[in-house]
């Protein structure tokens, strides 16, 4: 397969409601899509990076620049290309995993479509549908939070994740437990908002039987998480810290986490995400699929990944309408708390042209 060019699209999609985390509030998702054109057909890639470097160091304009200047030219010059060759071809460029992930996803989609294979089949899917959780932002009040969580439970979500930060942690967790009981699967995500001096406050979460606490400390603080783990009964799950299969292995070995959130964009793509899954499976560490407010394209691939056998916890693989009134693909709709794994070639979904045109703010052709 030969890459002939890549179309880069900047997209802006309004959210159904503002999404507040410990690092900021978003009311629209600005993202970057790639359409890889090859000798064997097209493929779509979606970049997990946000508009600003608040979740991780990557951000929209930076992703566009590195793709344009380094990553796409390296693949255009490569000759015969397969998705497995993308990471080695791009390895000399340090970092920029989300940009690399988007490009590899587009090439993988093109390759799989050409072979009539689905993402799920290619990655090693062992099930036709996946259990779904939902990530709930920080709210202005406890009554508002209880309304929102109640709505998601009514919609069928099988697991609730509350975003937390200092000042919004024990109270919301306690309120959700009191209203909805001890049986719902409940977890929290701090997005690095705490330090080791918060041990006493984080210990106050222990009585609530949470599945996990996600990324309490800063990204690079592996040993800090290992230390924190000694003081908590609630299992620590890492998100931001885990950027590769190797970093997952290190974190597990050092006792920094008992659970891993796998986001393909954060680790440089779906192929590395599968390796993170394999490393965790080898250590008996459960994994679940995280999200970056994906459109139907990224969501399709995430659902496929989440259907691998090590994904034993419900993921942030919510339905399209969790974030978007209108998705750019056919929407993913919850069925008894689950989403179906697409079975068509490649991602199994494509953008609806009129809908994509409505949300596209800029386009350029790299060849
Ligand atoms: O930490 O998991 C996170 C969204 C943006 C950036 C980071 C995170 C999140 C979410 C939402 O929690 C996950 C989703 O449903 O897409
Ligand atoms: Mg997280």
């Amino acid at each position: 397969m030969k890459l002939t060019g890549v179309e880069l699209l900047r997209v802006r999609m309004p959210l159904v409601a503002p999404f507040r985390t410990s690092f900021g509030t978003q009311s629209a998702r600005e993202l970057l899509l790639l359409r890889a054109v090859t000798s064997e057909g097209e493929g779509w890639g979606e970049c997990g990076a946000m508009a600003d470097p608040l979740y991780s160091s990557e951000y929209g304009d930076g992703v566009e620049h590195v793709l344009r200047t380094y990553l796409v030219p390296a693949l255009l010059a490569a000759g015969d290309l397969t998705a497995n060759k993308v990471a080695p071809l791009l390895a000399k460029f340090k970092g920029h995993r989300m940009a690399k992930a988007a490009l590899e996803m587009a090439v993988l989609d093109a390759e799989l479509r050409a072979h009539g294979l689905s993402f799920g089949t290619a990655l090693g899917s062992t099930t036709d549908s996946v259990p779904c959780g939902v990530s709930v932002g920080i709210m202005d009040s406890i009554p508002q939070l209880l309304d929102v969580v109640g709505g998601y439970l009514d919609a069928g979500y099988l697991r609730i994740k509350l975003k937390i930060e200092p000042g919004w942690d024990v109270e919301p967790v306690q309120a959700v437990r009191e209203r909805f009981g001890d049986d719902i699967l409940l977890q929290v995500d701090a997005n690095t908002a705490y330090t080791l001096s918060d041990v006493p406050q984080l210990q106050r979460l222990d009585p609530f039987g949470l599945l996990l606490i996600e990324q309490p400390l800063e990204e690079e603080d592996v040993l800090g998480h290992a230390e924190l783990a000694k003081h908590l009964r609630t299992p620590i799950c890492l998100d931001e810290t885990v950027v590769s299969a190797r970093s997952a292995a290190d974190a597990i070995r050092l006792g920094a986490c008992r659970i891993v959130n796998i986001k393909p964009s954060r680790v440089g793509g779906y192929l590395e995400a599968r390796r993170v899954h394999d490393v965790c499976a080898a250590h008996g560490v459960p994994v679940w699929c995280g999200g970056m407010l994906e459109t139907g394209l990224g969501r399709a691939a995430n659902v496929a990944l989440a259907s691998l056998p090590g994904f034993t916890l419900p993921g942030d693989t919510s339905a399209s309408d969790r974030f978007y009134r209108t998705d750019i693909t056919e929407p993913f709709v919850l069925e008894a708390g689950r989403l179906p794994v697409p079975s068509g070639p490649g991602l199994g979904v494509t953008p609806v042209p009129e809908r994509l045109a409505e949300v596209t703010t800029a386009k350029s052709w790299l060849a």
Side-chain angles (χ1 to χ4, degrees):
M1 190 168 93
K2 177 92 182 88
L3 184 67
T4 47
V6 175
E7 187 174 47
L8 190 154
L9 296 88
R10 303 294 292 261
V11 162
R12 186 176 195 281
M13 298 182 38
L15 300 183
V16 293
F19 183 56
R20 177 172 161 203
T21 63
S22 63
F23 60 80
T25 305
Q26 281 179 275
S27 53
R29 172 73 164 116
E30 289 175 65
L31 74 146
L32 208 142
L33 298 178
L34 298 178
R35 183 171 62 90
V37 179
T38 78
S39 54
E40 314 296 317
E42 295 183 2
W44 286 93
E46 174 168 341
C47 186
M50 320 246 94
D52 304 303
L54 299 175
Y55 162 75
S56 68
S57 65
E58 291 185 80
Y59 63 102
D61 288 346
V63 167
E64 174 162 351
H65 185 270
V66 78
L67 281 165
R68 204 182 263 294
T69 313
Y70 300 104
L71 307 182
V72 171
L75 296 195
L76 288 170
D80 185 53
L81 188 64
T82 64
N84 285 319
K85 292 183 183 175
V86 170
L89 283 165
L90 303 181
K92 67 177 174 185
F93 304 113
K94 310 299 186 198
H96 298 281
R97 290 182 171 88
M98 289 184 169
K100 292 174 178 176
L103 194 49
E104 185 197 78
M105 175 179 165
V107 172
L108 180 57
D109 185 35
E111 181 178 333
L112 295 178
R113 285 182 202 266
H115 287 95
L117 276 179
S118 71
F119 257 64
T121 300
L123 293 172
S125 171
T126 53
T127 173
D128 297 335
S129 71
V130 301
C132 298
V134 60
S135 176
V136 182
I138 294 165
M139 301 281 154
D140 292 331
S141 71
I142 297 291
Q144 185 191 8
L145 175 71
L146 295 176
D147 276 357
V148 169
V149 170
Y152 289 138
L153 292 171
D154 289 344
Y157 285 105
L158 301 173
R159 182 226 71 191
I160 300 292
K161 160 170 140 182
L162 303 181
K163 290 292 195 178
I164 60 167
E165 65 182 3
W168 182 265
D169 43 36
V170 174
E171 229 197 319
V173 167
Q174 177 167 8
V176 167
R177 275 287 182 236
E178 279 173 6
R179 171 71 68 88
F180 302 106
D182 291 337
D183 290 342
I184 65 162
L185 301 182
L186 186 62
Q187 63 193 52
V188 293
D189 185 1
N191 289 111
T192 76
Y194 294 85
T195 70
L196 276 180
S197 66
D198 296 312
V199 165
Q201 180 66 7
L202 295 175
Q203 283 175 326
R204 293 180 61 208
L205 292 170
D206 273 343
F208 297 104
L210 300 177
L211 282 172
L212 57 91
I213 176 170
E214 184 178 345
Q215 198 72 41
L217 310 179
E218 72 176 46
E219 184 177 320
E220 297 188 7
D221 199 2
V222 180
L223 291 179
H225 283 100
E227 180 60 30
L228 177 61
K230 295 180 194 158
H231 301 279
L232 297 183
R233 271 186 284 130
T234 308
I236 292 175
C237 169
L238 291 176
D239 174 353
E240 285 88 332
T241 297
V242 174
V243 297
S244 62
R246 172 170 292 153
S247 81
D250 289 353
I252 293 166
R253 172 78 179 277
L254 291 167
C257 65
R258 280 153 59 186
I259 299 170
V260 171
N261 166 335
I262 302 184
K263 283 183 191 167
S265 57
R266 197 192 62 225
V267 302
Y270 287 87
L271 301 179
E272 184 72 4
R274 178 175 53 188
R275 291 188 280 270
V276 176
H277 160 274
D278 294 348
V279 161
C280 292
H283 287 86
V285 168
V287 302
W288 55 281
C289 184
M292 292 298 290
L293 294 81
E294 280 82 1
T295 74
L297 295 172
R299 204 162 292 278
N302 284 355
V303 168
L305 180 71
S307 70
L308 270 60
F311 286 79
T312 54
L313 292 167
D316 282 345
T317 47
S318 40
S320 294
D321 69 2
R322 156 67 185 92
F323 291 113
Y324 307 115
R325 197 167 310 286
T326 319
D327 207 334
I328 58 170
T329 63
E330 283 304 302
F332 280 84
V333 179
L334 220 54
E335 295 164 24
R338 306 177 70 90
L339 287 182
V341 180
S343 57
L347 295 170
V349 298
T350 44
V352 177
E354 306 75 50
R355 178 60 193 149
L356 180 60
E358 279 170 13
V359 295
T360 300
T361 56
K363 266 202 252 197
S364 50
W365 175 248
L366 314 177

